PDB file of all heavy atoms in Angstrom:
ATOM      1  N   VAL A  73      81.171  77.122 142.993  1.00 98.00           N
ATOM      2  CA  VAL A  73      80.874  76.851 144.425  1.00 98.00           C
ATOM      3  C   VAL A  73      82.140  76.214 145.013  1.00 98.00           C
ATOM      4  O   VAL A  73      82.898  75.611 144.358  1.00 98.00           O
ATOM      5  CB  VAL A  73      79.644  75.906 144.557  1.00 98.00           C
ATOM      6  CG1 VAL A  73      79.935  74.573 143.945  1.00 98.00           C
ATOM      7  CG2 VAL A  73      79.222  75.916 145.935  1.00 98.00           C
ATOM      8  N   GLN A  74      82.330  76.421 146.336  1.00 98.00           N
ATOM      9  CA  GLN A  74      83.393  75.687 146.944  1.00 98.00           C
ATOM     10  C   GLN A  74      83.051  74.184 147.182  1.00 98.00           C
ATOM     11  O   GLN A  74      81.920  73.879 147.232  1.00 98.00           O
ATOM     12  CB  GLN A  74      83.729  76.322 148.348  1.00 98.00           C
ATOM     13  CG  GLN A  74      84.344  77.786 148.215  1.00 98.00           C
ATOM     14  CD  GLN A  74      84.751  78.304 149.475  1.00 98.00           C
ATOM     15  OE1 GLN A  74      84.563  77.687 150.552  1.00 98.00           O
ATOM     16  NE2 GLN A  74      85.395  79.545 149.519  1.00 98.00           N
ATOM     17  N   ALA A  75      84.112  73.419 147.333  1.00 98.00           N
ATOM     18  CA  ALA A  75      83.953  72.036 147.653  1.00 98.00           C
ATOM     19  C   ALA A  75      82.957  71.800 148.832  1.00 98.00           C
ATOM     20  O   ALA A  75      83.194  72.473 149.836  1.00 98.00           O
ATOM     21  CB  ALA A  75      85.260  71.286 147.868  1.00 98.00           C
ATOM     22  N   GLY A  76      82.083  70.921 148.675  1.00 98.00           N
ATOM     23  CA  GLY A  76      81.148  70.590 149.810  1.00 98.00           C
ATOM     24  C   GLY A  76      79.858  71.392 149.600  1.00 98.00           C
ATOM     25  O   GLY A  76      78.921  71.042 150.333  1.00 98.00           O
ATOM     26  N   GLY A  77      79.855  72.387 148.817  1.00 98.00           N
ATOM     27  CA  GLY A  77      78.610  73.072 148.547  1.00 98.00           C
ATOM     28  C   GLY A  77      77.617  72.512 147.611  1.00 98.00           C
ATOM     29  O   GLY A  77      77.857  71.314 147.185  1.00 98.00           O
ATOM     30  N   SER A  78      76.600  73.155 147.292  1.00 98.00           N
ATOM     31  CA  SER A  78      75.485  72.647 146.434  1.00 98.00           C
ATOM     32  C   SER A  78      75.157  73.594 145.365  1.00 98.00           C
ATOM     33  O   SER A  78      75.320  74.845 145.466  1.00 98.00           O
ATOM     34  CB  SER A  78      74.248  72.424 147.340  1.00 98.00           C
ATOM     35  OG  SER A  78      74.491  71.469 148.339  1.00 98.00           O
ATOM     36  N   LEU A  79      74.619  73.092 144.310  1.00 98.00           N
ATOM     37  CA  LEU A  79      74.060  73.736 143.167  1.00 98.00           C
ATOM     38  C   LEU A  79      72.885  73.093 142.644  1.00 98.00           C
ATOM     39  O   LEU A  79      72.852  71.712 142.791  1.00 98.00           O
ATOM     40  CB  LEU A  79      75.104  73.944 142.020  1.00 98.00           C
ATOM     41  CG  LEU A  79      76.209  74.949 142.205  1.00 98.00           C
ATOM     42  CD1 LEU A  79      77.203  74.856 141.047  1.00 98.00           C
ATOM     43  CD2 LEU A  79      75.609  76.371 142.329  1.00 98.00           C
ATOM     44  N   ARG A  80      71.932  73.780 142.036  1.00 98.00           N
ATOM     45  CA  ARG A  80      70.830  73.084 141.381  1.00 98.00           C
ATOM     46  C   ARG A  80      70.728  73.566 139.945  1.00 98.00           C
ATOM     47  O   ARG A  80      70.526  74.674 139.723  1.00 98.00           O
ATOM     48  CB  ARG A  80      69.395  73.413 142.192  1.00 98.00           C
ATOM     49  CG  ARG A  80      68.249  72.726 141.698  1.00 98.00           C
ATOM     50  CD  ARG A  80      67.060  73.029 142.503  1.00 98.00           C
ATOM     51  NE  ARG A  80      65.878  72.323 142.177  1.00 98.00           N
ATOM     52  CZ  ARG A  80      65.500  71.065 142.633  1.00 98.00           C
ATOM     53  NH1 ARG A  80      66.318  70.445 143.529  1.00 98.00           N
ATOM     54  NH2 ARG A  80      64.363  70.483 142.254  1.00 98.00           N
ATOM     55  N   LEU A  81      70.772  72.582 139.072  1.00 98.00           N
ATOM     56  CA  LEU A  81      70.655  72.803 137.659  1.00 98.00           C
ATOM     57  C   LEU A  81      69.214  72.602 137.249  1.00 98.00           C
ATOM     58  O   LEU A  81      68.610  71.620 137.694  1.00 98.00           O
ATOM     59  CB  LEU A  81      71.568  71.923 136.847  1.00 98.00           C
ATOM     60  CG  LEU A  81      73.094  71.967 137.137  1.00 98.00           C
ATOM     61  CD1 LEU A  81      73.875  71.073 136.192  1.00 98.00           C
ATOM     62  CD2 LEU A  81      73.568  73.406 137.107  1.00 98.00           C
ATOM     63  N   SER A  82      68.777  73.354 136.207  1.00 97.00           N
ATOM     64  CA  SER A  82      67.407  73.170 135.776  1.00 97.00           C
ATOM     65  C   SER A  82      67.449  73.225 134.193  1.00 97.00           C
ATOM     66  O   SER A  82      68.256  73.972 133.637  1.00 97.00           O
ATOM     67  CB  SER A  82      66.543  74.311 136.276  1.00 97.00           C
ATOM     68  OG  SER A  82      65.232  74.090 135.760  1.00 97.00           O
ATOM     69  N   CYS A  83      66.731  72.371 133.598  1.00 96.00           N
ATOM     70  CA  CYS A  83      66.540  72.141 132.224  1.00 96.00           C
ATOM     71  C   CYS A  83      65.227  72.511 131.809  1.00 96.00           C
ATOM     72  O   CYS A  83      64.272  71.686 132.085  1.00 96.00           O
ATOM     73  CB  CYS A  83      67.085  70.840 131.693  1.00 96.00           C
ATOM     74  SG  CYS A  83      66.830  70.575 129.952  1.00 96.00           S
ATOM     75  N   ALA A  84      64.916  73.628 131.027  1.00 94.00           N
ATOM     76  CA  ALA A  84      63.565  73.963 130.626  1.00 94.00           C
ATOM     77  C   ALA A  84      63.393  73.475 129.135  1.00 94.00           C
ATOM     78  O   ALA A  84      64.236  73.715 128.340  1.00 94.00           O
ATOM     79  CB  ALA A  84      63.376  75.408 130.598  1.00 94.00           C
ATOM     80  N   ALA A  85      62.335  72.715 129.020  1.00 89.00           N
ATOM     81  CA  ALA A  85      62.039  72.243 127.630  1.00 89.00           C
ATOM     82  C   ALA A  85      60.996  72.863 126.860  1.00 89.00           C
ATOM     83  O   ALA A  85      59.863  73.386 127.532  1.00 89.00           O
ATOM     84  CB  ALA A  85      61.594  70.679 127.764  1.00 89.00           C
ATOM     85  N   SER A  86      61.030  73.025 125.617  1.00 89.00           N
ATOM     86  CA  SER A  86      59.956  73.508 124.800  1.00 89.00           C
ATOM     87  C   SER A  86      59.795  72.664 123.651  1.00 89.00           C
ATOM     88  O   SER A  86      60.744  71.956 123.172  1.00 89.00           O
ATOM     89  CB  SER A  86      60.309  74.997 124.341  1.00 89.00           C
ATOM     90  OG  SER A  86      61.432  74.980 123.547  1.00 89.00           O
ATOM     91  N   GLY A  87      58.585  72.457 123.163  1.00 86.00           N
ATOM     92  CA  GLY A  87      58.273  71.528 122.071  1.00 86.00           C
ATOM     93  C   GLY A  87      58.229  70.081 122.357  1.00 86.00           C
ATOM     94  O   GLY A  87      58.137  69.278 121.519  1.00 86.00           O
ATOM     95  N   MET A  88      58.189  69.807 123.713  1.00 78.00           N
ATOM     96  CA  MET A  88      58.081  68.365 124.146  1.00 78.00           C
ATOM     97  C   MET A  88      57.585  68.371 125.520  1.00 78.00           C
ATOM     98  O   MET A  88      57.622  69.367 126.299  1.00 78.00           O
ATOM     99  CB  MET A  88      59.566  67.697 124.084  1.00 78.00           C
ATOM    100  CG  MET A  88      60.490  68.350 124.995  1.00 78.00           C
ATOM    101  SD  MET A  88      62.142  67.482 125.082  1.00 78.00           S
ATOM    102  CE  MET A  88      61.519  66.164 126.156  1.00 78.00           C
ATOM    103  N   THR A  89      57.124  67.179 126.003  1.00 76.00           N
ATOM    104  CA  THR A  89      56.694  66.996 127.349  1.00 76.00           C
ATOM    105  C   THR A  89      57.648  66.008 127.942  1.00 76.00           C
ATOM    106  O   THR A  89      57.893  64.881 127.428  1.00 76.00           O
ATOM    107  CB  THR A  89      55.263  66.400 127.395  1.00 76.00           C
ATOM    108  OG1 THR A  89      54.418  67.296 126.757  1.00 76.00           O
ATOM    109  CG2 THR A  89      54.856  66.180 128.891  1.00 76.00           C
ATOM    110  N   TYR A  90      58.287  66.416 129.042  1.00 73.00           N
ATOM    111  CA  TYR A  90      59.264  65.656 129.749  1.00 73.00           C
ATOM    112  C   TYR A  90      58.812  64.213 130.099  1.00 73.00           C
ATOM    113  O   TYR A  90      59.645  63.307 130.117  1.00 73.00           O
ATOM    114  CB  TYR A  90      59.895  66.324 130.921  1.00 73.00           C
ATOM    115  CG  TYR A  90      61.064  67.239 130.656  1.00 73.00           C
ATOM    116  CD1 TYR A  90      60.877  68.418 129.854  1.00 73.00           C
ATOM    117  CD2 TYR A  90      62.269  67.023 131.124  1.00 73.00           C
ATOM    118  CE1 TYR A  90      61.929  69.202 129.562  1.00 73.00           C
ATOM    119  CE2 TYR A  90      63.371  67.841 130.859  1.00 73.00           C
ATOM    120  CZ  TYR A  90      63.198  68.926 130.047  1.00 73.00           C
ATOM    121  OH  TYR A  90      64.272  69.784 129.799  1.00 73.00           O
ATOM    122  N   SER A  91      57.658  64.110 130.521  1.00 73.00           N
ATOM    123  CA  SER A  91      57.153  62.825 130.958  1.00 73.00           C
ATOM    124  C   SER A  91      57.178  61.642 129.988  1.00 73.00           C
ATOM    125  O   SER A  91      57.184  60.530 130.400  1.00 73.00           O
ATOM    126  CB  SER A  91      55.673  62.946 131.601  1.00 73.00           C
ATOM    127  OG  SER A  91      54.770  63.382 130.584  1.00 73.00           O
ATOM    128  N   HIS A  92      57.263  61.989 128.741  1.00 76.00           N
ATOM    129  CA  HIS A  92      57.262  61.087 127.729  1.00 76.00           C
ATOM    130  C   HIS A  92      58.639  60.692 127.203  1.00 76.00           C
ATOM    131  O   HIS A  92      58.744  59.984 126.180  1.00 76.00           O
ATOM    132  CB  HIS A  92      56.399  61.488 126.557  1.00 76.00           C
ATOM    133  CG  HIS A  92      54.958  61.803 126.895  1.00 76.00           C
ATOM    134  ND1 HIS A  92      54.265  60.865 127.638  1.00 76.00           N
ATOM    135  CD2 HIS A  92      54.171  62.730 126.618  1.00 76.00           C
ATOM    136  CE1 HIS A  92      53.068  61.318 127.734  1.00 76.00           C
ATOM    137  NE2 HIS A  92      52.896  62.444 127.197  1.00 76.00           N
ATOM    138  N   TYR A  93      59.659  61.104 127.829  1.00 85.00           N
ATOM    139  CA  TYR A  93      61.034  60.941 127.301  1.00 85.00           C
ATOM    140  C   TYR A  93      61.996  60.472 128.415  1.00 85.00           C
ATOM    141  O   TYR A  93      61.707  60.553 129.568  1.00 85.00           O
ATOM    142  CB  TYR A  93      61.590  62.291 126.853  1.00 85.00           C
ATOM    143  CG  TYR A  93      61.069  62.775 125.543  1.00 85.00           C
ATOM    144  CD1 TYR A  93      59.768  63.465 125.529  1.00 85.00           C
ATOM    145  CD2 TYR A  93      61.727  62.562 124.300  1.00 85.00           C
ATOM    146  CE1 TYR A  93      59.349  63.969 124.313  1.00 85.00           C
ATOM    147  CE2 TYR A  93      61.225  63.086 123.155  1.00 85.00           C
ATOM    148  CZ  TYR A  93      60.022  63.737 123.134  1.00 85.00           C
ATOM    149  OH  TYR A  93      59.468  64.120 122.008  1.00 85.00           O
ATOM    150  N   CYS A  94      62.975  59.853 127.881  1.00 91.00           N
ATOM    151  CA  CYS A  94      64.210  59.557 128.760  1.00 91.00           C
ATOM    152  C   CYS A  94      65.031  60.810 128.737  1.00 91.00           C
ATOM    153  O   CYS A  94      65.271  61.335 127.642  1.00 91.00           O
ATOM    154  CB  CYS A  94      65.020  58.355 128.247  1.00 91.00           C
ATOM    155  SG  CYS A  94      66.618  58.135 129.031  1.00 91.00           S
ATOM    156  N   MET A  95      65.403  61.338 129.886  1.00 92.00           N
ATOM    157  CA  MET A  95      66.163  62.665 129.860  1.00 92.00           C
ATOM    158  C   MET A  95      67.187  62.546 131.054  1.00 92.00           C
ATOM    159  O   MET A  95      67.070  61.749 132.031  1.00 92.00           O
ATOM    160  CB  MET A  95      65.265  63.770 130.068  1.00 92.00           C
ATOM    161  CG  MET A  95      64.371  63.733 131.277  1.00 92.00           C
ATOM    162  SD  MET A  95      62.997  64.885 131.179  1.00 92.00           S
ATOM    163  CE  MET A  95      61.868  63.971 129.980  1.00 92.00           C
ATOM    164  N   GLY A  96      68.127  63.410 130.969  1.00 94.00           N
ATOM    165  CA  GLY A  96      69.155  63.543 131.963  1.00 94.00           C
ATOM    166  C   GLY A  96      70.212  64.464 131.740  1.00 94.00           C
ATOM    167  O   GLY A  96      70.009  65.450 130.911  1.00 94.00           O
ATOM    168  N   TRP A  97      71.350  64.276 132.323  1.00 97.00           N
ATOM    169  CA  TRP A  97      72.405  65.143 132.263  1.00 97.00           C
ATOM    170  C   TRP A  97      73.758  64.501 132.018  1.00 97.00           C
ATOM    171  O   TRP A  97      74.050  63.388 132.489  1.00 97.00           O
ATOM    172  CB  TRP A  97      72.735  65.948 133.625  1.00 97.00           C
ATOM    173  CG  TRP A  97      71.542  66.793 133.954  1.00 97.00           C
ATOM    174  CD1 TRP A  97      70.363  66.608 134.554  1.00 97.00           C
ATOM    175  CD2 TRP A  97      71.456  68.202 133.601  1.00 97.00           C
ATOM    176  NE1 TRP A  97      69.598  67.688 134.550  1.00 97.00           N
ATOM    177  CE2 TRP A  97      70.252  68.739 134.107  1.00 97.00           C
ATOM    178  CE3 TRP A  97      72.404  69.120 132.962  1.00 97.00           C
ATOM    179  CZ2 TRP A  97      69.937  70.114 133.939  1.00 97.00           C
ATOM    180  CZ3 TRP A  97      72.003  70.475 132.851  1.00 97.00           C
ATOM    181  CH2 TRP A  97      70.783  70.950 133.363  1.00 97.00           C
ATOM    182  N   PHE A  98      74.465  64.930 131.091  1.00 97.00           N
ATOM    183  CA  PHE A  98      75.882  64.539 130.826  1.00 97.00           C
ATOM    184  C   PHE A  98      76.904  65.652 131.121  1.00 97.00           C
ATOM    185  O   PHE A  98      76.390  66.768 131.203  1.00 97.00           O
ATOM    186  CB  PHE A  98      76.050  64.227 129.357  1.00 97.00           C
ATOM    187  CG  PHE A  98      75.467  62.877 128.959  1.00 97.00           C
ATOM    188  CD1 PHE A  98      74.149  62.633 128.917  1.00 97.00           C
ATOM    189  CD2 PHE A  98      76.342  61.798 128.632  1.00 97.00           C
ATOM    190  CE1 PHE A  98      73.649  61.296 128.606  1.00 97.00           C
ATOM    191  CE2 PHE A  98      75.896  60.555 128.297  1.00 97.00           C
ATOM    192  CZ  PHE A  98      74.399  60.300 128.304  1.00 97.00           C
ATOM    193  N   ARG A  99      78.140  65.423 131.288  1.00 97.00           N
ATOM    194  CA  ARG A  99      79.084  66.425 131.563  1.00 97.00           C
ATOM    195  C   ARG A  99      80.426  66.091 130.865  1.00 97.00           C
ATOM    196  O   ARG A  99      80.691  64.914 130.559  1.00 97.00           O
ATOM    197  CB  ARG A  99      79.281  66.583 133.108  1.00 97.00           C
ATOM    198  CG  ARG A  99      79.925  65.396 133.792  1.00 97.00           C
ATOM    199  CD  ARG A  99      79.916  65.486 135.304  1.00 97.00           C
ATOM    200  NE  ARG A  99      80.507  64.468 135.943  1.00 97.00           N
ATOM    201  CZ  ARG A  99      80.577  64.247 137.314  1.00 97.00           C
ATOM    202  NH1 ARG A  99      80.201  65.242 138.070  1.00 97.00           N
ATOM    203  NH2 ARG A  99      81.110  63.157 137.850  1.00 97.00           N
ATOM    204  N   GLN A 100      81.171  67.286 130.662  1.00 97.00           N
ATOM    205  CA  GLN A 100      82.410  67.117 129.936  1.00 97.00           C
ATOM    206  C   GLN A 100      83.326  68.154 130.534  1.00 97.00           C
ATOM    207  O   GLN A 100      83.063  69.275 130.403  1.00 97.00           O
ATOM    208  CB  GLN A 100      82.256  67.215 128.427  1.00 97.00           C
ATOM    209  CG  GLN A 100      83.503  67.001 127.671  1.00 97.00           C
ATOM    210  CD  GLN A 100      83.314  66.890 126.200  1.00 97.00           C
ATOM    211  OE1 GLN A 100      82.300  67.497 125.750  1.00 97.00           O
ATOM    212  NE2 GLN A 100      84.095  66.199 125.538  1.00 97.00           N
ATOM    213  N   ALA A 101      84.489  67.623 131.073  1.00 97.00           N
ATOM    214  CA  ALA A 101      85.546  68.562 131.588  1.00 97.00           C
ATOM    215  C   ALA A 101      86.552  68.810 130.455  1.00 97.00           C
ATOM    216  O   ALA A 101      86.668  68.083 129.522  1.00 97.00           O
ATOM    217  CB  ALA A 101      86.186  67.937 132.761  1.00 97.00           C
ATOM    218  N   PRO A 102      87.272  69.941 130.486  1.00 92.00           N
ATOM    219  CA  PRO A 102      88.224  70.233 129.392  1.00 92.00           C
ATOM    220  C   PRO A 102      89.170  69.057 129.245  1.00 92.00           C
ATOM    221  O   PRO A 102      89.861  68.648 130.268  1.00 92.00           O
ATOM    222  CB  PRO A 102      88.856  71.455 129.978  1.00 92.00           C
ATOM    223  CG  PRO A 102      87.764  72.159 130.858  1.00 92.00           C
ATOM    224  CD  PRO A 102      87.126  71.011 131.464  1.00 92.00           C
ATOM    225  N   GLY A 103      89.293  68.667 128.071  1.00 94.00           N
ATOM    226  CA  GLY A 103      90.371  67.576 127.745  1.00 94.00           C
ATOM    227  C   GLY A 103      89.848  66.183 128.132  1.00 94.00           C
ATOM    228  O   GLY A 103      90.678  65.229 127.955  1.00 94.00           O
ATOM    229  N   GLN A 104      88.621  66.064 128.546  1.00 95.00           N
ATOM    230  CA  GLN A 104      88.017  64.849 128.970  1.00 95.00           C
ATOM    231  C   GLN A 104      86.937  64.371 128.032  1.00 95.00           C
ATOM    232  O   GLN A 104      86.293  65.221 127.398  1.00 95.00           O
ATOM    233  CB  GLN A 104      87.661  64.820 130.450  1.00 95.00           C
ATOM    234  CG  GLN A 104      88.619  65.314 131.351  1.00 95.00           C
ATOM    235  CD  GLN A 104      89.795  64.352 131.486  1.00 95.00           C
ATOM    236  OE1 GLN A 104      89.615  63.074 131.545  1.00 95.00           O
ATOM    237  NE2 GLN A 104      91.001  64.844 131.523  1.00 95.00           N
ATOM    238  N   GLU A 105      86.572  63.152 128.088  1.00 93.00           N
ATOM    239  CA  GLU A 105      85.432  62.670 127.312  1.00 93.00           C
ATOM    240  C   GLU A 105      84.061  63.034 128.011  1.00 93.00           C
ATOM    241  O   GLU A 105      84.028  63.224 129.203  1.00 93.00           O
ATOM    242  CB  GLU A 105      85.527  61.108 127.061  1.00 93.00           C
ATOM    243  CG  GLU A 105      85.442  60.311 128.302  1.00 93.00           C
ATOM    244  CD  GLU A 105      85.599  58.864 128.111  1.00 93.00           C
ATOM    245  OE1 GLU A 105      85.987  58.501 126.930  1.00 93.00           O
ATOM    246  OE2 GLU A 105      85.387  58.030 128.987  1.00 93.00           O
ATOM    247  N   ARG A 106      83.098  62.987 127.238  1.00 94.00           N
ATOM    248  CA  ARG A 106      81.799  63.319 127.694  1.00 94.00           C
ATOM    249  C   ARG A 106      81.136  62.117 128.445  1.00 94.00           C
ATOM    250  O   ARG A 106      81.238  60.988 127.930  1.00 94.00           O
ATOM    251  CB  ARG A 106      80.773  63.765 126.674  1.00 94.00           C
ATOM    252  CG  ARG A 106      79.395  64.313 127.091  1.00 94.00           C
ATOM    253  CD  ARG A 106      78.758  64.965 125.923  1.00 94.00           C
ATOM    254  NE  ARG A 106      79.410  66.066 125.433  1.00 94.00           N
ATOM    255  CZ  ARG A 106      78.947  66.894 124.502  1.00 94.00           C
ATOM    256  NH1 ARG A 106      77.778  66.630 123.894  1.00 94.00           N
ATOM    257  NH2 ARG A 106      79.686  67.872 124.001  1.00 94.00           N
ATOM    258  N   ASP A 107      80.679  62.293 129.735  1.00 94.00           N
ATOM    259  CA  ASP A 107      80.177  61.159 130.494  1.00 94.00           C
ATOM    260  C   ASP A 107      78.775  61.481 130.933  1.00 94.00           C
ATOM    261  O   ASP A 107      78.327  62.510 131.202  1.00 94.00           O
ATOM    262  CB  ASP A 107      81.044  60.928 131.733  1.00 94.00           C
ATOM    263  CG  ASP A 107      82.474  60.468 131.307  1.00 94.00           C
ATOM    264  OD1 ASP A 107      82.629  59.658 130.399  1.00 94.00           O
ATOM    265  OD2 ASP A 107      83.427  60.951 131.987  1.00 94.00           O
ATOM    266  N   GLY A 108      77.972  60.352 131.127  1.00 94.00           N
ATOM    267  CA  GLY A 108      76.693  60.443 131.683  1.00 94.00           C
ATOM    268  C   GLY A 108      76.812  60.658 133.198  1.00 94.00           C
ATOM    269  O   GLY A 108      77.579  60.112 133.890  1.00 94.00           O
ATOM    270  N   VAL A 109      75.774  61.453 133.640  1.00 97.00           N
ATOM    271  CA  VAL A 109      75.770  61.849 135.088  1.00 97.00           C
ATOM    272  C   VAL A 109      74.635  61.049 135.729  1.00 97.00           C
ATOM    273  O   VAL A 109      74.818  60.213 136.604  1.00 97.00           O
ATOM    274  CB  VAL A 109      75.624  63.328 135.332  1.00 97.00           C
ATOM    275  CG1 VAL A 109      75.438  63.638 136.793  1.00 97.00           C
ATOM    276  CG2 VAL A 109      76.706  64.120 134.779  1.00 97.00           C
ATOM    277  N   GLU A 110      73.343  61.337 135.235  1.00 96.00           N
ATOM    278  CA  GLU A 110      72.216  60.671 135.752  1.00 96.00           C
ATOM    279  C   GLU A 110      71.081  60.775 134.790  1.00 96.00           C
ATOM    280  O   GLU A 110      70.937  61.951 134.096  1.00 96.00           O
ATOM    281  CB  GLU A 110      71.783  61.292 137.096  1.00 96.00           C
ATOM    282  CG  GLU A 110      70.786  60.430 137.830  1.00 96.00           C
ATOM    283  CD  GLU A 110      70.544  60.778 139.276  1.00 96.00           C
ATOM    284  OE1 GLU A 110      71.271  61.709 139.737  1.00 96.00           O
ATOM    285  OE2 GLU A 110      69.765  60.092 139.927  1.00 96.00           O
ATOM    286  N   VAL A 111      70.260  59.754 134.498  1.00 94.00           N
ATOM    287  CA  VAL A 111      69.151  59.817 133.568  1.00 94.00           C
ATOM    288  C   VAL A 111      67.950  59.267 134.274  1.00 94.00           C
ATOM    289  O   VAL A 111      67.992  58.523 135.295  1.00 94.00           O
ATOM    290  CB  VAL A 111      69.456  59.073 132.364  1.00 94.00           C
ATOM    291  CG1 VAL A 111      70.605  59.647 131.579  1.00 94.00           C
ATOM    292  CG2 VAL A 111      69.657  57.567 132.620  1.00 94.00           C
ATOM    293  N   ILE A 112      66.682  59.743 133.770  1.00 92.00           N
ATOM    294  CA  ILE A 112      65.467  59.245 134.315  1.00 92.00           C
ATOM    295  C   ILE A 112      64.587  58.857 133.147  1.00 92.00           C
ATOM    296  O   ILE A 112      64.481  59.695 132.185  1.00 92.00           O
ATOM    297  CB  ILE A 112      64.810  60.280 135.223  1.00 92.00           C
ATOM    298  CG1 ILE A 112      63.539  59.681 135.805  1.00 92.00           C
ATOM    299  CG2 ILE A 112      64.503  61.595 134.599  1.00 92.00           C
ATOM    300  CD1 ILE A 112      62.946  60.582 136.967  1.00 92.00           C
ATOM    301  N   ASP A 113      63.989  57.737 133.142  1.00 89.00           N
ATOM    302  CA  ASP A 113      63.117  57.339 132.044  1.00 89.00           C
ATOM    303  C   ASP A 113      61.691  57.749 132.257  1.00 89.00           C
ATOM    304  O   ASP A 113      61.363  58.272 133.335  1.00 89.00           O
ATOM    305  CB  ASP A 113      63.267  55.749 131.920  1.00 89.00           C
ATOM    306  CG  ASP A 113      63.040  55.329 130.485  1.00 89.00           C
ATOM    307  OD1 ASP A 113      62.531  55.997 129.715  1.00 89.00           O
ATOM    308  OD2 ASP A 113      63.368  54.094 130.237  1.00 89.00           O
ATOM    309  N   SER A 114      60.842  57.504 131.233  1.00 84.00           N
ATOM    310  CA  SER A 114      59.407  57.924 131.309  1.00 84.00           C
ATOM    311  C   SER A 114      58.626  57.217 132.431  1.00 84.00           C
ATOM    312  O   SER A 114      57.660  57.800 132.921  1.00 84.00           O
ATOM    313  CB  SER A 114      58.738  57.795 129.996  1.00 84.00           C
ATOM    314  OG  SER A 114      58.865  56.342 129.576  1.00 84.00           O
ATOM    315  N   ASP A 115      59.284  56.038 132.795  1.00 85.00           N
ATOM    316  CA  ASP A 115      58.462  55.263 133.945  1.00 85.00           C
ATOM    317  C   ASP A 115      58.997  55.690 135.301  1.00 85.00           C
ATOM    318  O   ASP A 115      58.644  55.043 136.237  1.00 85.00           O
ATOM    319  CB  ASP A 115      58.664  53.764 133.699  1.00 85.00           C
ATOM    320  CG  ASP A 115      60.067  53.335 133.670  1.00 85.00           C
ATOM    321  OD1 ASP A 115      61.008  54.117 133.910  1.00 85.00           O
ATOM    322  OD2 ASP A 115      60.343  52.027 133.603  1.00 85.00           O
ATOM    323  N   GLY A 116      59.952  56.625 135.360  1.00 86.00           N
ATOM    324  CA  GLY A 116      60.518  57.080 136.609  1.00 86.00           C
ATOM    325  C   GLY A 116      61.757  56.373 137.018  1.00 86.00           C
ATOM    326  O   GLY A 116      62.363  56.780 138.107  1.00 86.00           O
TER     327      GLY A 116
END
């Protein structure tokens, strides 16, 4: 996408229920370390 645009990522789970877990997204650019983006806990 071009700068200023939008994307929506989706993560489908099997073998677990999302509401009972802490979950989120990390990202890693080439040559860079892996960093946390955003997480959500079971309590919201």
Side-chain angles (χ1 to χ4, degrees):
V73 66
Q74 292 186 356
S78 299
L79 286 173
R80 187 176 181 87
L81 303 183
S82 182
C83 176
S86 63
M88 62 173 284
T89 301
Y90 271 66
S91 62
H92 298 313
Y93 288 82
C94 170
M95 61 197 72
W97 295 85
F98 282 70
R99 64 185 179 184
Q100 186 170 24
Q104 305 297 317
E105 63 183 9
R106 189 170 298 183
D107 295 318
V109 179
E110 191 166 5
V111 299
I112 183 168
D113 210 342
S114 58
D115 64 359

